[in-house]
Amino acid sequence: PIGPWREEAQVGTMSPAIALAFLPLVVTLLVRYRHYFRLLVRTVLLRSLRDCLSGLQIEERAFSYVLTHALPGDPGHILTTLDHWSSCCEYLSHMGPVKGQILMRLVEEKAPACVLELGTYCGYSTLLIARALPPGGRLLTVERDPRTAAVAEKLIRLAGFDEHMVELIVGSSEDVIPCLRTQYQLSRADLVLLAHRPRCYLRDLQLLEAHALLPAGATVLADHVLFPGAPRFLQYAKSCGRYRCRLHHTGLPDFPAIKDGIAQLTYAGPG
């Protein structure tokens, strides 16, 4: 009876010892990846809890904040209000001011007659593009989630942009792109922003090529190409011979240590 008791005691005393041995590794991982851990807590755990408690999606809560704190008809003030809410209240996972400056500068520089945005989300990048459009410019923006699209629609109209300037299409990019020419009278997109799901970027770029919606010289911008990343998209753009590629390095809003980037492609033509 003494032998088994000693074995059990040894097993019982070994468990804390093993845990203690792994403690430095755990601490090292937490320190090294602390920014990703904070991001996970804010974007998954806290967001899910608030969704359950409020019965509203994060985009709907953000719009409620905008309604009470932003100036209607002032897109710049609305964007600043969203940035403040994301930094101080709930992380919105939006484009943010650093990437936003890159986007606005490129739109102003290219002066596109027609812009196609895939991934409206809450409407943040939509307002950035609409602000920078040249006179007579048109923006078509596509959002697959009807509930999120409803929030974006209200935000766009609150900022003062009408349906003639900014048209929001509800549907998946895979279904919408083949219909752009016939159903939405879009014969060419001088500038395209890919801001929906990085795993869909390559498929949708090839759809745009297949339906001849990219004129020579068109600019394609792709967000989040480094985090969470779009390696197949970048590999295709660099190797197919139809694009000149440039990468604008940035960080995530409120998480500058998490490196991300916007890819800028210039289409040379079908070749």
Side-chain angles (χ1 to χ4, degrees):
I2 296 177
W5 179 84
R6 285 181 177 173
E7 290 179 2
E8 290 176 5
Q10 288 176 352
V11 170
T13 56
M14 285 176 62
S15 297
I18 293 174
L20 191 61
F22 278 99
L23 185 59
L25 175 62
V26 172
V27 171
T28 301
L29 291 175
L30 286 176
V31 171
R32 179 175 296 179
Y33 298 105
R34 63 190 182 279
H35 306 291
Y36 297 92
F37 180 73
R38 287 179 54 234
L39 181 64
L40 175 67
V41 170
R42 293 189 67 180
T43 58
V44 178
L45 301 180
L46 291 179
R47 183 178 297 180
S48 299
L49 178 62
R50 286 166 176 152
D51 288 351
C52 293
L53 292 176
S54 68
L56 300 173
Q57 292 182 346
I58 185 172
E59 301 83 17
E60 294 167 327
R61 296 194 294 276
F63 182 71
S64 297
Y65 184 86
V66 167
L67 278 179
T68 55
H69 291 82
L71 299 174
D74 187 340
H77 195 259
I78 291 173
L79 290 167
T80 302
T81 303
L82 283 172
D83 289 330
H84 181 268
W85 188 82
S86 181
S87 296
C88 302
C89 301
E90 297 182 53
Y91 188 68
L92 192 56
S93 304
H94 65 318
M95 177 171 277
V98 176
K99 290 181 181 179
Q101 287 298 316
I102 296 173
L103 175 60
M104 283 191 63
R105 176 176 56 80
L106 289 172
V107 174
E108 291 170 351
E109 177 186 310
K110 304 299 180 181
C114 192
V115 177
L116 174 65
E117 178 186 33
L118 302 180
T120 315
Y121 187 46
C122 65
Y124 184 94
S125 54
T126 311
L127 297 191
L128 289 168
I129 296 170
R131 287 181 73 194
L133 279 178
R138 181 188 180 206
L139 167 59
L140 274 72
T141 180
V142 182
E143 172 56 46
R144 64 176 297 155
D145 181 68
R147 193 168 171 180
T148 304
V151 174
E153 181 86 40
K154 290 186 286 188
L155 191 81
I156 294 165
R157 306 311 166 209
L158 182 70
F161 300 112
D162 60 25
E163 294 85 349
H164 298 291
M165 184 175 183
V166 180
E167 182 176 358
L168 195 154
I169 304 167
V170 181
S172 69
S173 54
E174 185 178 18
D175 295 332
V176 171
I177 290 173
C179 303
L180 286 173
R181 189 183 302 274
T182 57
Q183 193 168 341
Y184 299 99
Q185 292 73 55
L186 177 68
S187 59
R188 53 184 282 166
D190 303 303
L191 189 145
V192 178
L193 173 62
L194 306 176
H196 49 325
R197 299 182 177 184
R199 68 174 181 268
C200 300
Y201 287 1
L202 177 56
R203 179 200 70 193
D204 290 346
L205 181 65
Q206 292 174 333
L207 275 174
L208 291 168
E209 293 174 352
H211 289 84
L213 292 169
L214 295 177
T219 299
V220 178
L221 303 175
D223 196 8
H224 296 303
V225 293
L226 298 183
F227 184 85
R232 293 176 61 246
F233 168 82
L234 289 177
Q235 181 182 13
Y236 173 81
K238 292 175 181 178
S239 62
C240 72
R242 292 190 286 276
Y243 297 94
R244 296 197 313 272
C245 303
R246 179 184 177 187
L247 186 61
H248 300 271
H249 291 273
T250 66
L252 291 186
D254 300 323
F255 294 92
I258 300 179
K259 302 306 179 185
D260 194 14
I262 296 178
Q264 177 185 346
L265 315 181
T266 303
Y267 186 55

